[in-house]
Amino acid sequence: MNDETKCLKVTVPEGKFASLSVPVHRASTIVFDSVAAYQARRSQMYDGYSYGLYGTPTSRTLEKAIANIEGADRAIVVSSGFAAITLVTLALSQAGKRVLFPDNVYDTVRPFADKLLSRYGVRPVYYDPLMGGRIAELLDADVSLVWLESPGSMTLEVQDMPAIAAACRARGIPTAADNTYATPLRCKPLDLGVDISVCAVSKYISGHSDLVMGSIALRDEARFRLLKDHARMLGQGVSADEASLALRGLETMAVRLERIERTTLSLLDFVISQPGVSEVRHPALSHNPGHAEWLRDFSGSTGLLTLFLEPWTRPVLAQAIEAMDQFAIGASWGGTKSVVAVLDALPLRTATNVSHDGPLVRFSIGLEHPDDLISSMNKGFDVLASAQPALAAAN
């Protein structure tokens, strides 16, 4: 054998080797023992290995772990949480039929639904997220899928998932829930009657703001295969390196959530009393929309905290937020570091009204010490307080 060929014939040492961490199996090409096995590779896509994009031992391990904590039989990981939503929607929707979305849906979903789905003859309809079992009024033979998002990722309304799922199941309509806020540790939609649970793994599951991934968990084998087929046709998959990072994050999610929840709850009384704050949203607050459903269906809360501000705060809001030196300004959430997102206007609503016209600020609380976060917030609220008399009078 020539040296050039020897460079390609690497032999893996034999012998017993065990590690607490899951190996990273990087692969594009999967090799087979025979021509027959190669020609039958598509049959291996659901449980075995056919091509690196469709699964490696690392990503399969992550899928099994997610299925286990979701109380599911199957799970699929895809390139983002948004990809999980679009994949489920495209796989289960039909031309000439409607898909129902809650009016507080993750805002990137709206352009997908309004611009892309409509091109394929699917009509999106937005409904009041707090209508519960009354959703039956919207259900008929032309509804192919109903989405839930509870709590909503920006305005934090908690939906009556069991009532909505029961109304849909009675009519044979599948349901899917975006469970990113709660994670499977704080809520299990499948146990509440929902058919499919979706999470942005990018958030609390990975937990370190360094990867983008989504998961889909369910109990129905035929529907799993349908989704897996659509994932292949849409070129969906994840790298072994990112799957490994998600597995690492999964190991610490429980302790991170405990700390994050405790810190967030300790901030509620503080932020409620601050100048310019019209309303604070958090599921644990008795006035939060859907609080009773949260008490019934969730085992706890996480770190999102939304403030509706008075309109007079607009001119100095950017200065106030920039003074909060412990908060990174960004769109995502669920990591170890605290993040703040600022909207000058409330997210688009087409089916319901929100009784606020001022700006909205959403905090994602991380693992910093609560005293440091309060000190940082105080710097921003001091900016608002110093401007309050003149600005409030002008408005």
Side-chain angles (χ1 to χ4, degrees), residues 112-142:
F112 158 73
D114 295 341
K115 297 180 181 180
L116 185 62
L117 281 183
S118 59
R119 287 176 55 191
Y120 298 106
V122 178
R123 185 161 67 95
V125 174
Y126 301 95
Y127 68 90
D128 180 353
L130 299 176
M131 70 189 309
R134 291 188 295 108
I135 200 170
E137 301 166 7
L138 305 179
L139 304 178
D140 53 36
D142 77 342

Side-chain angles (χ1 to χ4, degrees), residues 221-297:
E221 179 68 17
R223 196 167 281 151
F224 161 76
R225 289 178 175 245
L226 174 69
L227 290 170
K228 188 68 177 177
D229 290 340
H230 277 73
R232 180 176 68 83
M233 290 184 283
L234 292 170
Q236 278 295 332
V238 304
S239 74
D241 293 271
E242 290 199 323
S244 177
L245 288 174
L247 282 164
R248 175 179 290 188
L250 195 64
E251 292 182 357
T252 64
M253 180 167 63
V255 292
R256 284 187 284 107
L257 286 184
E258 287 177 8
R259 170 65 179 267
I260 287 169
E261 179 181 29
R262 186 166 63 248
T263 299
T264 305
L265 293 175
S266 74
L267 297 175
L268 293 181
D269 288 341
F270 168 76
V271 294
I272 286 172
S273 64
Q274 296 306 307
V277 176
S278 175
E279 182 186 350
V280 176
R281 291 273 179 97
H282 185 277
L285 293 169
S286 60
H287 68 262
N288 195 83
H291 173 71
E293 286 74 17
W294 174 76
L295 287 174
R296 182 191 66 196
D297 298 333

Side-chain angles (χ1 to χ4, degrees), residues 57-78:
T58 313
S59 63
R60 288 279 193 268
T61 301
L62 176 60
E63 289 171 338
K64 289 178 181 178
I66 289 173
N68 189 35
I69 60 172
E70 287 269 18
D73 295 324
R74 292 286 204 167
I76 303 170
V77 289
V78 293

